[in-house]
């Protein structure tokens, strides 16, 4: 994460350790050369990066051969040999581990069947009004009394909301008021599972990669309907488990603070439970650039280690007085140094052992080991060693944004001002008092400048007010909120003081977030331009000659001014987003854009408009001119309000708006950039007709570019399809968005025979309970030679009028070996 003060804290900690270490003449200090191991670690990092780009894993024999070649390469005393050896070892071991994880995934034959499982709650449950989501470590499983092999780790949902209608239908939907599971407990459940699968859209969140990183081999839900076995708590959590203590601390915070929003922040700072922070708070923290402070970061671990080292030193004096022999055998320098690192590691484990925590603990341990061993490494060697170790522990940490923000931030701090703290003793008293303030200001400016391009690459936005916000938030959170959050573990009433400090900070952040241009967004740049911009930001931040800094500024320019691709005049692009069981389509011409439907609403706190459609629009630099919602059903209109709030200037059309001026009506037409848009349904008489279903009222839009056209149909059933097609017997469709997600009640033979579409896109959910697309509809497509794709297998599906014979699938373009495959 962006850790603007971690360099100073680490430098002071290192200085404390250096002063505590036995003093010897400088000639005794060994400045060893580690070029060979450095080349091997560089090769290791490159090998991990290469292996993570593979669309398919290779045979196990290939990976075994690479490991053997790597071990042989280490026997040679040549730099290139060690570089290639590190690369081969990384590819071989990472590929072997990938093979193992793939073998631990759910058998497709066990998808959608009832399975009895017994196991342990392996994470802190994430709770919402609808229920709980948690990771589950399987101990044994059976189906109809026969043992079954399941993945070692599952992600399960236990719903609280009753769905009596679904249960009455007998489709196996979860109907329970939920339980209250605790981390570390052993439970017996009946579950239904599916293989890891998630929506896949350009520049969007890759849920399948997240599941892979966490070693989750299947997802599913607890079966707890009226006809299902009752979930049973087999045993409580052992007292010594870390998860049990984390859970108890979170519960004590909730008990002490009740519904105060600050409770989530304190839980995140005390034990790393980031799911406890409400989404509006996360949005505020991101907008003001302080989100890195609301999780256990290197800054918190370093600060804790600094305090722990001082505390151990005080305690060791007392120990030395009572047991002088022990003090002689284990000098105070070693006790305080390793004691501080040990307590910091314990805090990191209690906080969930994330990548920033791992990096910081390893780096501190290396610093202590080298200082006490009277050796010094240059910072690049230290930095590269820690990166290699982190990737050895978890190669897929490379995929997380936190990995990059964390290591880039530390590299900039090391390179930007190495050894700054060492000279503080030469300053006057006034300058020593002023130095921390000036150091904080400079470090924050350094991080803001260096990490802004990386933030734009990863998130498509950067906080303009982040510099001001962090100047206040870093010392406030580090020196006030975090110590109080940890202190509350011992003295619970202290959490009220901590909550007050969080509330005061929140008020200031709200004020900053209300500033115009508080957040600057830019379209996501192509990878070559993005990498150049990151290098440019680093060159600008470092203490380099003016010529180098000028080169850094030039490297930034292409990524900042680049314009995303748009269709040529007279051409159109239609992108059917992968939103699960629902619909959302982006239509782009040379200078205009239209959003047709906004995706489903999954629960009161999440919808596809906010989670999928808006991030995609921002990453492409699109501000829609018109938003058209076909009908009011939740799977089409669930994300509409998020889009309406984000783009109040956009025109609005729907079949259900109270204002008739916003209705979509047959006969409406307009032209953008040589592309014609025609609304075909509903007619004015349909609005006056009582009893019309929401599906029957769906807006239907035809987009025509030259000889090719695309039909967006909402959920119209056959009763509306037939007259719509027969009224225009000469019209054809190059692309058809399957009506009603491929339901058997739609895609009638009359519609298909009249329009004769060349391509059909079906927007539906993976293993959806409606069975979309219906087999009878698929048979109609195939009988007529119509090419069709469905978003669960395709991801986001993109069709262009200048390439009418193909549909581009996001799963084919960005395929990696952890992605779902049929």
């Amino acid at each position: 994460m962006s850790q603007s003060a971690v360099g100073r804290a680490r430098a002071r900690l290192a200085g404390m350790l250096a002063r505590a270490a036995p003093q010897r003449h400088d000639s005794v200090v060994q400045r060893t050369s580690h070029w060979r191991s450095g080349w091997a670690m560089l090769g290791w990092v490159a090998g991990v990066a290469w292996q993570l780009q593979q669309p398919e894993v290779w045979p196990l024999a290939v990976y075994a051969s690479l490991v053997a070649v790597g071990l042989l390469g280490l026997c040679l005393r040549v730099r290139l040999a060690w570089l290639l050896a590190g690369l081969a070892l990384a590819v071989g071991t990472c590929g072997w581990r990938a093979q193992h994880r793939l073998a631990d995934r759910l058998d497709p034959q066990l998808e959608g069947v009832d399975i009895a499982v017994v196991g342990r709650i392996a994470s802190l449950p994430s709770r919402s009004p609808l229920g709980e989501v948690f990771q589950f470590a399987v101990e044994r499983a059976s189906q109809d009394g026969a043992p079954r092999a399941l993945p070692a780790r599952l992600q399960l949902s236990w719903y609280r909301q009753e769905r009596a209608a679904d249960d009455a239908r007998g489709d196996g939907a979860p109907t329970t008021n939920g339980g209250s599971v605790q981390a570390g407990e052993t439970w017996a459940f009946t579950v239904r599972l599916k293989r890891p699968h998630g929506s896949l859209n350009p520049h969007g969140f890759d849920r399948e990669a997240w599941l892979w990183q966490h070693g989750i081999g299947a997802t599913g839900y607890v079966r707890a309907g009226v006809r299902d076995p009752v979930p049973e708590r087999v045993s409580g959590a052992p007292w010594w488990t870390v998860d049990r203590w984390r859970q108890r601390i979170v519960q004590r915070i909730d008990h002490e603070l009740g519904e105060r929003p600050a409770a989530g922040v304190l839980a995140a700072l005390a034990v790393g439970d980031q799911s406890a922070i409400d989404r509006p708070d996360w949005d505020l923290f991101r907008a003001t650039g302080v989100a890195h402070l609301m999780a256990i970061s290197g800054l918190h671990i370093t600060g804790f280690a600094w305090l722990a080292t001082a505390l151990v030193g005080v305690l060791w004096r007392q120990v030395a007085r009572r047991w002088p022999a022990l003090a002689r055998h284990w000098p105070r320098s070693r006790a305080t140094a390793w004691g501080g690192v040990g307590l910091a590691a314990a805090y990191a484990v209690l906080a969930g052992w994330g990548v920033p925590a791992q990096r910081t603990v390893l780096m501190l341990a290396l610093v202590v080991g080298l200082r006490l061993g009277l050796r010094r490494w240059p910072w690049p060697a230290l930095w590269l060693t820690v990166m290699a170790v982190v990737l050895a522990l978890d190669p897929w940490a490379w995929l997380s944004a936190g990995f990059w923000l964390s290591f880039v931030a530390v590299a900039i701090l090391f390179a930007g001002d190495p050894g700054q703290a060492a000279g503080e003793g030469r300053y006057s008293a006034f300058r020593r008092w002023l130095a921390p303030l000036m150091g904080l200001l400079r470090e924050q400016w350094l991080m803001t400048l260096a990490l802004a391009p990386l933030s734009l690459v990863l998130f498509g936005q950067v906080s303009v007010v982040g510099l001001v916000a962090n100047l206040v938030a870093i010392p406030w959170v580090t020196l006030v909120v975090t110590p109080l959050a940890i202190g509350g573990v011992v003295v619970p009433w202290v959490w009220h003081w901590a909550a007050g400090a969080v509330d005061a900070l929140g008020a200031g952040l709200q004020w900053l977030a209300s500033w115009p241009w508080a957040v600057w967004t830019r379209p996501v740049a192509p990878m070559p331009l993005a990498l150049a911009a990151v290098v440019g930001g680093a060159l600008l931040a470092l203490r380099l000659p003016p010529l180098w800094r000028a080169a850094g500024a030039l490297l930034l320019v292409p990524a900042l001014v680049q314009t995303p691709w748009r269709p040529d005049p007279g051409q159109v692009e239609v992108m059917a987003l992968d939103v699960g069981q629902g619909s959302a389509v982006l239509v782009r011409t040379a200078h205009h854009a239209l959003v047709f439907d906004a995706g489903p609403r999954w629960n009161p706190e999440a919808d596809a408009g906010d989670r999928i459609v808006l991030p995609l629009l921002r990453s492409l630099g699109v501000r829609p001119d018109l938003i058209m919602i076909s009908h009011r059903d939740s799977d089409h209109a669930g994300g509409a309000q998020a889009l309406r709030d984000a783009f109040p200037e956009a025109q609005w059309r729907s079949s259900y708006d109270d204002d008739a001026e916003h209705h979509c009506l047959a006969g409406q037409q307009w032209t953008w950039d040589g592309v014609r848009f025609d609304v075909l349904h509903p007619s004015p008489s349909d609005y006056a007709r009582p009893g019309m279903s929401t599906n029957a009222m769906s807006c239907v839009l035809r987009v025509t570019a030259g000889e090719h056209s695309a039909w967006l149909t909402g959920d119209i059933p056959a009763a509306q399809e037939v007259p719509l097609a027969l009224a225009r017997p000469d019209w054809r469709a190059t692309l058809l968005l399957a009506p009603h997600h491929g339901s058997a009640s739609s895609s009638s033979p009359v519609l298909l025979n009249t329009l004769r579409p060349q391509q059909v896109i079906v927007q539906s959910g993976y293993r959806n309970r409606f069975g979309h697309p219906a087999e009878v509809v698929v048979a109609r497509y195939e009988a007529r030679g119509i090419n069709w794709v469905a978003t669960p297998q395709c991801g986001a599906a993109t069709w262009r009028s200048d390439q009418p014979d193909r549909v581009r699938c996001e799963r084919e373009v960005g395929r990696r070996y952890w992605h779902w495959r049929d």
Side-chain angles (χ1 to χ4, degrees):
M1 302 286 175
S2 172
Q3 298 156 357
S4 56
V6 68
R8 178 173 297 279
R10 185 178 290 112
R12 291 188 175 183
L13 177 62
M16 181 184 299
L17 297 174
R19 289 190 295 271
Q23 301 296 314
R24 299 189 186 180
H25 194 270
D26 287 344
S27 61
V28 181
V29 178
Q30 303 177 22
R31 298 180 178 271
T32 59
S33 173
H34 299 278
W35 55 265
R36 278 185 296 170
S37 59
W39 282 100
M41 287 183 289
L42 183 61
W44 179 276
V45 172
V48 170
W50 182 21
Q51 199 278 332
L52 294 183
Q53 304 305 310
Q54 290 185 262
E56 305 284 347
V57 293
W58 297 334
L60 191 59
V62 175
Y63 292 126
S65 300
L66 287 172
V67 172
V69 169
L71 293 175
L72 289 175
L74 294 179
C75 300
L76 303 176
R77 301 178 62 85
V78 180
R79 296 185 184 185
L80 181 60
W82 277 55
L83 175 67
L84 296 177
L87 189 146
L89 285 171
V91 174
T93 56
C94 187
W96 175 81
R97 292 170 69 176
Q99 285 273 20
H100 177 73
R101 285 203 179 182
L102 286 173
D104 192 44
R105 286 194 159 183
L106 182 70
D107 185 339
Q109 295 182 353
L110 297 180
E111 286 189 298
V113 300
D114 289 353
I115 303 175
V117 297
V118 177
R120 179 176 55 84
I121 309 300
S123 70
L124 295 182
S126 175
R127 295 186 169 90
S128 73
L130 295 183
E132 300 170 317
V133 179
F134 51 88
Q135 295 180 26
F136 188 76
V138 177
E139 296 176 358
R140 59 183 183 273
S142 62
Q143 180 193 11
D144 297 328
R148 289 288 182 265
L150 290 184
R153 186 173 291 255
L154 314 174
Q155 179 172 280
L156 298 178
S157 301
W158 190 354
Y159 297 98
R160 284 194 176 91
Q161 186 178 22
E162 294 206 34
R163 296 168 61 184
D166 293 336
D167 187 68
R169 253 198 321 268
D171 65 353
T175 59
T176 175
N177 285 328
S180 183
V181 299
Q182 308 292 324
E185 292 179 339
T186 300
W187 280 77
F189 295 128
T190 298
V191 299
R192 280 196 179 176
L193 304 174
K194 62 182 180 181
R195 289 177 287 171
H197 188 281
S199 299
L200 202 60
N201 295 283
H203 313 299
F205 173 66
D206 189 345
R207 182 170 182 264
E208 292 170 37
W210 184 89
L211 293 171
W212 177 273
Q213 285 179 261
H214 290 78
I216 296 170
T219 64
Y221 62 85
V222 175
R223 294 270 295 164
V226 294
R227 294 187 296 273
D228 296 311
V230 177
E232 179 185 359
R233 180 176 176 271
V234 177
S235 65
W239 68 268
W240 43 266
T241 58
V242 174
D243 283 343
R244 180 177 185 271
W245 286 102
R246 297 178 70 204
Q247 180 86 67
R248 289 190 64 181
I249 292 172
V250 172
Q251 290 174 335
R252 290 174 63 190
I253 292 174
D254 290 340
H255 175 74
E256 192 73 26
L257 299 180
E259 299 296 324
R260 294 182 65 174
V265 174
L266 298 185
L269 294 176
V271 297
D273 184 16
Q274 297 182 42
S275 66
I277 300 179
D278 296 333
R279 183 169 178 80
D281 290 334
W282 272 126
D283 293 339
L284 174 65
F285 298 148
R286 292 190 183 101
T288 52
V290 302
H292 64 99
L293 294 173
M294 304 307 162
I296 303 300
S297 65
L299 176 60
H300 299 121
I301 301 295
T302 303
F304 185 88
W306 186 16
L307 295 175
T309 300
L311 177 62
V312 171
V314 172
L315 295 177
W316 194 252
R317 288 193 183 96
Q318 305 302 320
V319 172
R321 292 173 182 174
R322 290 178 175 269
W323 296 285
L326 178 61
R328 287 192 298 270
H329 179 73
W330 192 257
R332 178 174 173 271
S333 60
R334 292 183 178 274
T336 56
W338 289 116
V341 172
L343 290 175
Y347 176 44
V349 170
L350 183 66
W353 196 239
V355 170
Q358 294 176 32
R359 185 260 304 151
T360 305
V361 171
L362 291 171
M363 196 165 286
L364 289 175
L366 272 174
V367 168
V368 168
L370 292 171
R371 288 297 178 94
L372 294 180
L374 300 177
R375 287 179 171 83
R376 295 182 185 273
W377 283 6
W379 73 261
L382 183 65
W383 181 82
L384 185 61
T385 299
V386 174
M387 178 181 283
V389 172
V390 169
L391 291 177
L393 295 174
D394 180 10
W396 300 285
W398 180 280
L399 302 174
S400 67
F403 175 88
W404 290 104
L405 290 169
S406 178
F407 277 98
V408 171
V410 171
I412 294 298
L413 285 170
F414 272 140
D417 197 8
Q420 178 187 13
E424 289 182 359
R426 299 190 302 268
Y427 295 156
S428 65
F430 174 75
R431 294 191 65 185
R432 284 198 300 271
W433 175 84
L434 188 62
L437 178 61
M438 298 304 296
L440 177 62
L441 180 61
R442 182 182 183 279
E443 289 165 0
Q444 184 53 42
W445 167 247
L446 192 73
M447 288 298 95
T448 300
L449 186 62
L451 293 183
L454 185 58
S455 297
L456 286 173
V457 169
L458 296 173
F459 311 118
Q461 68 177 41
V462 63
S463 175
V464 178
V465 299
L467 175 61
V468 177
N470 276 282
L471 286 175
V472 177
I474 286 177
W476 188 253
V477 173
T478 305
L479 302 178
V480 178
V481 179
T482 302
L484 291 175
I486 299 173
V489 176
V490 180
V491 185
W493 55 263
V494 172
W495 280 324
H496 290 279
W497 292 0
V502 172
D503 293 340
L505 177 64
L509 295 179
Q510 288 282 4
W511 177 66
L512 287 174
S514 66
W515 289 11
W517 306 100
V519 178
W520 185 46
T521 61
R522 285 292 301 162
V524 174
M527 187 54 66
L529 298 184
L531 293 177
V534 172
V535 173
L539 292 177
L540 278 174
L542 298 179
R543 289 184 169 178
L544 296 172
L547 183 61
W548 283 94
R549 292 193 171 187
L554 290 176
L555 289 174
L556 282 173
V557 172
L560 298 181
V561 302
Q562 64 93 22
T563 302
W565 177 90
R566 297 295 293 258
D568 294 330
Q571 303 294 338
V572 67
E573 178 194 69
V574 178
M575 181 187 296
L577 278 63
D578 185 6
V579 294
Q581 186 62 28
S583 180
V585 182
L586 172 63
V587 181
R588 292 197 293 172
T589 66
H591 302 102
H592 294 82
L594 177 148
V595 174
F596 185 89
D597 286 337
R601 187 174 186 83
W602 300 303
N603 59 59
E605 300 177 347
D607 61 73
D610 184 52
R611 299 290 179 89
I612 296 178
V613 183
L614 275 178
L616 175 72
L617 296 178
R618 288 167 179 158
S619 68
L620 297 177
V622 171
R623 296 192 67 86
D625 301 276
L626 174 63
I627 299 171
M628 182 177 291
I629 307 299
S630 63
H631 60 298
R632 68 168 69 248
D633 286 0
S634 177
D635 57 336
H636 293 250
Q641 192 59 49
L643 297 183
R644 205 166 189 176
D645 292 342
F647 306 108
E649 74 283 358
Q651 299 181 57
W652 178 266
R653 294 287 185 273
S654 75
S655 62
Y656 61 90
D657 200 277
D658 293 334
D659 188 346
E661 293 184 2
H662 293 159
H663 286 169
C664 51
L665 287 171
Q668 292 174 340
Q669 62 179 19
W670 64 94
T671 300
W672 286 342
D673 308 316
V675 178
R676 176 169 171 168
F677 294 77
D678 294 275
V679 178
L680 307 180
H681 185 78
S683 65
S685 60
D686 292 327
Y687 284 97
R689 188 180 305 171
M692 288 281 286
S693 69
T694 57
N695 287 350
M697 288 294 294
S698 292
C699 304
V700 177
L701 180 67
R702 180 178 185 253
V703 185
T704 306
E707 299 178 353
H708 304 288
S709 66
W711 286 54
L712 312 181
T713 56
D715 278 356
I716 56 169
Q720 278 67 45
E721 289 179 353
V722 172
L724 193 64
L726 294 179
R728 302 163 179 86
D730 298 330
W731 284 16
R732 301 291 180 262
T734 311
L735 172 71
L736 174 67
L737 188 68
H740 201 183
H741 318 287
S743 167
S745 63
S746 302
S747 295
S748 61
V750 173
L751 180 73
L752 299 179
N753 292 339
T754 303
L755 297 184
R756 302 177 192 175
Q758 300 175 23
Q759 310 284 342
V760 171
I761 298 176
V762 181
Q763 287 187 294
S764 60
Y766 177 67
R767 294 188 58 84
N768 64 88
R769 58 195 179 96
F770 306 103
H772 296 158
E775 293 182 3
V776 63
V777 171
V778 171
R780 290 174 192 162
Y781 296 155
E782 294 179 346
R784 291 163 176 80
I786 301 171
N787 298 321
W788 69 278
V789 298
T791 50
Q793 292 77 37
C794 178
T798 304
W799 173 85
R800 291 167 46 180
S801 60
D802 60 343
Q803 300 176 358
D805 298 330
R806 63 184 294 264
V807 172
R808 175 184 179 274
C809 287
E810 187 65 24
R811 284 189 178 274
E812 295 177 359
V813 175
R815 178 173 294 280
R816 296 292 182 268
Y817 56 78
W818 54 79
H819 285 150
W820 176 94
R821 59 207 62 217
D822 206 350

